[in-house]
Amino acid sequence: MDKEQSLFAVLLLGLFGGLLAFLAARLKPWLLLVLLPVVGVFIYLQLTELMDPYVGPAIAAEAGRLYIVISWAAPVLVFAGCSAGFVWRRRNVKVNT
């Protein structure tokens, strides 16, 4: 676990990434072209370590179940923030009729 991200860092990325995705989708959707690849790379690197047949069980044994749950919840938080931002944006768009 000394080479893995801390639980706090993974949780912070999920929460902060979700908040930034929400704000970007709500205010300036083109910012998602920059934000989502950056967050996506971190999440990809995190989850490939967890899914590795040799490293994954060792991480689960040392870090615990909470680390695994938060690692899988981080991309869900980012996706939920992005989706909520688009929904909020769509509801507040003025339609000229």
Side-chain angles (χ1 to χ4, degrees), residues 1-73:
M1 280 302 299
D2 60 332
K3 292 183 176 70
E4 298 298 320
Q5 298 295 326
S6 69
L7 178 65
F8 181 73
V10 174
L11 182 62
L12 191 65
L13 175 82
L15 293 174
F16 193 63
L19 177 66
L20 287 179
F22 172 79
L23 292 174
R26 170 80 172 88
L27 303 173
K28 305 266 187 210
W30 59 269
L31 285 175
L32 292 173
L33 294 173
V34 175
L35 176 69
L36 291 181
V38 171
V39 173
V41 166
F42 176 80
I43 290 171
Y44 172 77
L45 294 173
Q46 178 73 16
L47 294 181
T48 54
E49 292 287 324
L50 291 176
M51 293 181 0
D52 186 89
Y54 301 106
V55 178
I59 291 173
E62 190 172 337
R65 189 173 291 177
L66 183 63
Y67 187 84
I68 304 298
V69 169
I70 289 179
S71 293
W72 283 97

